[in-house]
Amino acid sequence: MFRLADRTLELAPATFTDYRELARRRLPRQLFDYVDGGAFAENSMRANEADLHGLKLRQRVLRDVSSRILETTVLGETMSIPLLLAPVGFAGMFAPRAEVLAARAAQRSGITFCESTLSICGIEEVASATSRAVWFQLYVMKDRRFAEDLIERAKAAGCSTLVLTIDLPVPGRRFRDTRNGLNGGLAATRRYRRRFDIASHPRWVRQVALGGKPLTFGNLETAVPAGKVPQDFQHWVTSQFDPSVTWRDLEWLRSLWDGNIVLKGILDPEDAREAVTNGVDAIIVSNHGGRQLDDVTSTARALPAIADVVGDEIEILMDGGVRSGLDVVKALSLGARACLIGRPWVYAVAARGEQGVVDVIESIRADLMVALALTGHTDVNDLDASVLEDISRF
Ligand SMILES: Cc1cc2nc3c(=O)[nH]c(=O)nc-3n(C[C@H](O)[C@H](O)[C@H](O)COP(=O)(O)O)c2cc1C
């Protein structure tokens, strides 16, 4: 019976939970934990999902919902549904050329993929695999020439939008990674276990580790030599990333980039106001999927106050814990224009490659279709707090 259930899951994963389970089976434990985990006690990571679930939708009936619009625009770009794929570092460790697969999936579904600075596939490889403009997410390194070089490369590759991630001046403390030795300092016995973990996933070794081009950071070849990814991630980030970046550096960024600039990692209304004052084009309300500071508010809770302060002046995107179309409806009702998903696309690409990512996006589309109808709405662009039960009790 257990085997039959197992097989059914392999054949027809349907939800985020199914893809997560498939990814858990396929990936070495240290890699699964790297994606699945958060910072410190992981409270904010859990709260992202739990607070979205805690919001209750109002079911409304006897309205004409025979035709429904799911399409929207984000910074002038058409999204077939209000969704983007979030930047995820190391994604190419989870499936061969995973960033390319995800960008292609996003294009097939009519949404945008955002490439991380820390991707395995370089921006040129990803951008040339799709005719849809890719967004580029930037981390600023201490040596500013890296940023300047990356911005030039993103420009040359035709990226439309630069996403500056501002919630990682230093890495959050991620204890699952520490236990798995991703932050260095492992005793010999633990190193042996780590190798055993990898060796006991031969499909991953065959397909990803040995399957193609060397696993290196395609955007940072000059910082990290070809064929190597940092063994001690926390130490590497601390030594390379620039924690001295301030609002003033946005001027420097503006002088290098003519396109849209989006700030990712806003959680406080005062910072949202500052972002508007500094002329950025959009913000992403995000706590990095609960991977940075723990015991900060969930993004669902942070969103309404931020939308109150800057919602009329700037486009607001949101991520963290979005797992279904119902979550997207809730986020839009709280003031977001669109959502991003991180872990869901990584689990999907690990489990089923490009088609897995398409299936996850299409599942969210199907949820949205149903959720709009049953809340009595016909257009994602018209959603507001009236879709939800009284949020003052939230
Ligand atoms: C494994 C992993 C790696 C990530 N790497 C990056 C990154 O390189 N740059 C970045 O801006 N955000 C990164 N993020 C954060 C995501 O862009 C996004 O904010 C977060 O995953 C959203 O939460 P969710 O995973 O619950 O959907 C990463 C998230 C995960 C899970």
Side-chain angles (χ1 to χ4, degrees), residues 112-167:
T112 290
F113 172 77
C114 185
E115 158 93 346
S116 162
T117 293
L118 301 179
S119 294
I120 298 297
C121 302
I123 185 60
E124 296 82 4
E125 184 183 349
V126 174
S128 64
T130 153
S131 57
R132 193 181 165 103
V134 167
W135 289 12
F136 186 78
Q137 175 268 323
L138 182 71
Y139 283 127
V140 177
M141 307 274 176
K142 284 180 183 150
D143 183 344
R144 294 288 170 102
R145 281 172 308 178
F146 282 130
E148 290 168 8
D149 174 50
L150 281 175
I151 289 171
E152 277 311 309
R153 286 175 63 182
K155 231 187 265 179
C159 294
S160 59
T161 298
L162 190 67
V163 176
L164 180 68
T165 297
I166 51 177
D167 58 7

Side-chain angles (χ1 to χ4, degrees), residues 338-387:
C339 296
L340 296 89
I341 48 171
R343 293 178 182 88
W345 79 254
V346 180
Y347 296 139
V349 83
R352 299 284 288 265
E354 179 180 326
Q355 189 57 44
V357 182
V358 169
D359 290 347
V360 158
I361 300 167
E362 293 310 315
S363 172
I364 290 178
R365 187 192 309 281
D367 296 343
L368 276 168
M369 266 297 178
V370 173
L372 272 195
L374 295 181
T375 55
H377 284 80
T378 55
D379 189 339
V380 286
N381 300 289
D382 293 340
L383 297 176
D384 60 24
S386 68
V387 179

